[in-house]
């Protein structure tokens, strides 16, 4: 009887292993097909003129300069708003807050917020930043909305990185006479920096590809100028790509493919930096 159960268990393990391999291979094949299709259509369209031209009704003259500038504005202000608050909240929750029922409720809600659909954040940003605070459809409103979107990701990633720091390092710091804050500042944060940086870059990578909350806040589909201040109206690459995809002309689909390539390049670059920093700055204990 035991041999029979052992054979069944091994068969299940083997079947699940092959199923997992098939699922992974299928996902990779679909990804390769998708990226190959995008590159084959759009790589010939990428040029300096495409990057520096404004959007146009003529697909041969259309470019992404206004959308690219808007994306850079959004990402910089989003990072400036979200990173200090996210890291500060994570440090407080992990190192200074008391383990109480209220603390557990806050932790659960932060984790749940990471899974809330992005369009909900768009509605929240529209009401708070766009209407109550009077920012309208400006870069500031879009940036603060995306900051709310990525805050839970930064907090969770930072807390996990802090948890991974061995308690022996904290005890050694206390033994040398350091205070709680000195220990956190000089020992815990440097030791967890690789995980913190990785979480921040992954969160920003998600923000780069978001279009739904920015559309709700009031980002424009057509912007024939480069934003020159945080209060300017704006568009971003995902919205520009969506605008081109919705056009009936086949030439605009080529422009959309080229825009996707540039957006993928920015995302892959950020993720590569995250992987490099994680390997470079990781501390082996």
């Amino acid at each position: 009887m035991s041999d029979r159960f052992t054979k069944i268990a091994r068969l299940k393990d083997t079947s699940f292993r092959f199923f997992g391999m098939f699922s992974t291979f299928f996902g990779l094949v679909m990804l390769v097909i998708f990226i190959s299709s995008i590159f084959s259509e759009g790589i010939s369209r990428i040029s300096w003129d495409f990057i520096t031209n404004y959007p146009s009704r003529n697909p041969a003259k259309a470019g992404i300069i206004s959308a690219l500038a808007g994306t850079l504005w959004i990402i910089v202000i989003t990072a400036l708003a979200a990173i200090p608050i996210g890291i500060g909240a994570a440090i407080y929750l992990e190192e200074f807050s008391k383990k109480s029922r209220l603390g557990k409720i806050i932790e659960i809600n932060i984790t749940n917020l990471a899974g809330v659909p992005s369009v909900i954040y768009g509605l929240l940003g529209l009401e708070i930043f766009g209407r109550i605070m009077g920012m309208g459809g400006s870069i500031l409103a879009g940036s603060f909305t995306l900051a709310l979107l990525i805050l839970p990701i930064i907090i969770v990633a930072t807390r996990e990185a802090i948890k991974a720091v061995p308690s022996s390092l904290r005890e050694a710091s206390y033994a040398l006479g350091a205070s709680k804050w000195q220990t956190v500042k000089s020992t815990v944060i440097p030791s967890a920096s690789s995980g913190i940086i990785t979480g921040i870059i992954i969160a920003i990578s998600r923000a780069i590809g978001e279009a739904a909350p920015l559309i709700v806040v009031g980002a424009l589909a057509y912007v024939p100028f480069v934003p020159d201040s945080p209060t300017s109206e704006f568009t971003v690459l995902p919205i520009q790509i969506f605008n081109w995809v919705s056009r009936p002309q086949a030439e605009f689909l080529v422009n959309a493919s080229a825009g996707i390539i540039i957006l993928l390049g920015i995302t892959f670059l950020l993720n590569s930096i995250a992987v490099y920093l994680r390997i470079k700055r990781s501390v082996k204990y």
Side-chain angles (χ1 to χ4, degrees):
M1 184 67 68
S2 60
D3 292 339
R4 180 183 176 185
F5 285 142
T6 302
K7 291 180 180 179
I8 293 175
R10 289 178 179 175
L11 179 61
K12 290 181 178 179
D13 289 342
T14 303
S15 300
F16 182 77
R17 183 167 61 252
F18 279 108
F19 175 75
M21 292 173 60
F22 169 77
S23 301
T24 303
F25 180 74
F26 179 79
L28 289 175
V29 169
M30 292 296 102
L31 180 62
V32 169
I33 293 174
F34 170 74
I35 293 179
S36 299
S37 175
I38 294 297
F39 268 80
S40 63
E41 290 183 4
I43 193 66
S44 61
R45 183 67 180 87
I46 296 179
S47 64
W48 183 247
D49 289 337
F50 178 74
I51 295 175
T52 57
N53 285 351
Y54 291 101
S56 172
R57 294 181 179 179
N58 185 349
K61 297 181 179 179
I64 61 169
I65 183 61
S66 57
L68 186 59
T71 299
L72 294 177
W73 269 105
I74 287 288
I75 293 307
V76 169
I77 298 178
T78 298
L80 292 176
I83 291 174
I85 297 175
I87 294 178
I91 293 173
Y92 173 77
L93 291 173
E94 193 61 34
E95 295 291 333
F96 294 96
S97 67
K98 297 180 180 179
K99 303 302 179 182
S100 61
R101 180 176 297 180
L102 178 60
K104 291 181 179 179
I105 294 175
I106 293 174
E107 293 176 7
I108 293 172
N109 279 278
I110 289 175
T111 304
N112 290 337
L113 284 174
V116 172
S118 58
V119 69
I120 304 301
Y121 285 98
L123 294 172
L124 180 64
L126 174 63
E127 182 63 25
I128 295 178
F129 304 122
R131 295 176 178 173
I132 296 178
M133 300 184 68
M135 296 181 183
S138 65
I139 291 174
L140 281 177
S143 299
F144 291 156
T145 300
L146 289 184
L148 292 179
L149 174 67
I150 67 174
L151 260 179
I153 303 174
I154 295 176
I155 293 173
V156 172
T158 302
R159 292 193 64 189
E160 292 300 322
I162 292 175
K163 285 181 182 179
V165 178
S167 58
S168 58
L169 291 180
R170 296 178 176 85
E171 294 170 357
S173 179
Y174 294 144
L176 293 174
S179 64
K180 180 73 171 180
W181 170 241
Q182 288 173 331
T183 299
V184 171
K185 181 182 67 173
S186 303
T187 302
V188 176
I189 299 303
S191 300
S193 60
S194 62
I196 295 173
I197 294 173
T198 300
I200 290 172
I201 294 178
I202 291 174
I204 294 175
S205 298
R206 178 185 175 183
I208 288 177
E210 289 292 345
L214 297 181
I215 292 175
V216 175
V217 169
L220 303 178
Y222 177 77
V223 176
F225 57 86
V226 173
D228 58 359
S229 72
T231 58
S232 299
E233 295 180 326
F234 71 101
T235 189
V236 290
L237 276 174
I239 295 178
Q240 183 64 70
I241 292 169
F242 175 77
N243 184 28
W244 281 335
V245 170
S246 63
R247 298 291 185 90
Q249 297 94 327
E251 292 83 359
F252 280 115
L253 295 179
V254 176
N255 289 350
S257 297
I260 291 172
I261 293 173
I262 293 176
L263 188 60
L264 283 175
I266 296 173
T267 304
F268 287 159
L269 176 63
L270 289 176
N271 282 277
S272 299
I273 293 173
V275 172
Y276 172 78
L277 292 175
R278 190 175 189 86
I279 295 174
K280 187 74 174 178
R281 299 176 63 87
S282 61
V283 180
K284 298 180 180 179
Y285 303 104

